[in-house]
Amino acid sequence: MISADMEGATGVTWTGDVTPGTEQWQRFRRLFTADVNACVSGLVAGGAQQVVVNEAHSSQRNLLLEDLHESARMLTGRHKPLSMMQGIDSDVDGVVFLGYHTGAGSRGVLAHTYMENSITGVWLDGVLASEGRLNAALAAEYGVPVLLVTGDDLTCEDAASYAAPAWTVAVKECVSRYAAVCLPPAVTSSQITEAATAAMASAGRSDAVVAPHHVEVEFDASHLAEAAAVVPTVDLIGVRRVGFDAVSMTEAMKAFKVVTHIAGAAIEDVYG
Ligand SMILES: [Zn+2]
């Protein structure tokens, strides 16, 4: 399975590159699709019998099906209970985090955690967590290894802290939130293919590990935390921070999804 996000795709450095409907997005969805295809090629060369690609960015309608590698199937569109990780509870043997990025409160190209800028940090069991860290914990709950992570160099550093055995490919070097030194797709494609092929050696499920988790979410404004705290099981634990306990990572991610939706609905245009 490939969980495919767009901020960490080859060449992407800026809001317009990943905002559906813009001219730049039309350009970068081709580069994004090329990254995915390079990964599918590698996974198949490494022995994968089937590859399902879960579109994980924004509208979740970015990849070009007409250009997709013929060995892949694509899960596209919203809404999905497990969001970026929909399908992890099926019989997949490994997951790739493609085009990922660092989390809110961290350095990195287009760093954020689910909400583009209203969340200033998410902590999983006390550790500042990127989407990769959250999703890796979810994969572990089903015994699925993270095989490969692609994104900027800081995303690869982050991956080493939550999925040390995973292969990584840095398709760009972060200079700032909106700038990076980028490699051309001709180079990143072959790097992604090679890494995906090698990473297939780690494919295979292990025992599922279901455990309770504690999640905290900090927002950039107090009213967003207050709105999220209306959700049952979610407590206001600071002026801008909420926390909740969940019996499993699956339940934690579902609760997190509700928290982000409720907070998102409380944002006003100018004052946030
Ligand atoms: Zn995204």
Side-chain angles (χ1 to χ4, degrees), residues 158-175:
D158 181 44
S161 75
Y162 65 73
W167 286 71
T168 57
V169 174
V171 300
K172 55 198 161 192
E173 189 182 326
C174 173
V175 172

Side-chain angles (χ1 to χ4, degrees), residues 8-260:
T10 296
V12 166
T13 59
W14 183 64
T15 317
D17 300 344
V18 292
T19 302
T22 67
E23 194 178 332
Q24 276 295 89
W25 171 75
Q26 292 290 2
R27 174 182 169 222
F28 278 99
R29 53 197 306 218
R30 291 197 293 275
L31 275 78
F32 181 28
T33 304
D35 279 9
V36 167
N37 283 342
C39 187
V40 175
S41 290
L43 294 174
V44 170
Q49 292 164 335
Q50 289 184 22
V51 180
V52 61
V53 183
N54 179 4
E55 281 230 42
H57 174 71
S58 186
S59 61
Q60 294 157 27
R61 300 180 188 280
N62 307 279
L63 292 167
L64 297 165
L65 181 63
E66 56 272 43
D67 293 337
L68 193 68
H69 193 295
E70 61 187 17
S71 296
R73 292 176 299 144
M74 186 171 87
L75 169 56
T76 187
R78 305 170 74 191
H79 300 268
K80 302 172 289 194
L82 294 179
S83 190
M84 301 177 81
M85 292 292 276
Q86 185 69 28
I88 198 69
D89 53 349
S90 62
D91 58 352
V92 297
D93 297 309
V95 62
V96 174
F97 295 164
L98 183 136
Y100 269 42
H101 48 80
T102 51
S106 303
R107 289 192 68 243
V109 175
L110 296 171
H112 69 285
T113 306
Y114 282 85
M115 297 173 78
E116 288 82 357
N117 50 26
S118 300
I119 289 177
T120 57
V122 175
W123 288 262
L124 175 63
D125 302 320
V127 178
L128 187 64
S130 60
E131 291 166 15
R133 180 178 294 277
L134 294 170
N135 293 344
L138 187 60
E141 185 153 289
Y142 296 93
V144 179
V146 179
L147 302 177
L148 166 66
V149 180
T150 77
D152 70 7
D153 56 327
L154 299 177
T155 300
C156 295
E157 274 181 29
D158 181 44
S161 75
Y162 65 73
W167 286 71
T168 57
V169 174
V171 300
K172 55 198 161 192
E173 189 182 326
C174 173
V175 172
S176 78
R177 182 170 174 80
Y178 300 116
V181 179
C182 297
L183 294 168
V187 173
T188 59
S189 282
S190 55
Q191 290 182 347
I192 292 170
T193 299
E194 278 175 31
T197 304
M200 273 300 292
S202 305
R205 297 166 78 96
S206 54
D207 292 339
V209 184
V210 179
H213 291 280
H214 179 72
V215 176
E216 295 186 8
V217 184
E218 190 175 83
F219 297 96
D220 63 357
S222 60
H223 67 289
L224 304 187
E226 288 164 11
V230 170
V231 179
T233 78
V234 177
D235 296 317
L236 191 65
I237 58 173
V239 174
R240 292 179 288 108
R241 194 187 278 232
V242 296
F244 59 87
D245 291 301
V247 296
S248 66
M249 199 58 204
T250 303
E251 294 298 307
M253 290 307 286
K254 287 180 178 175
F256 180 62
K257 191 178 174 74
V258 176
V259 163
T260 56

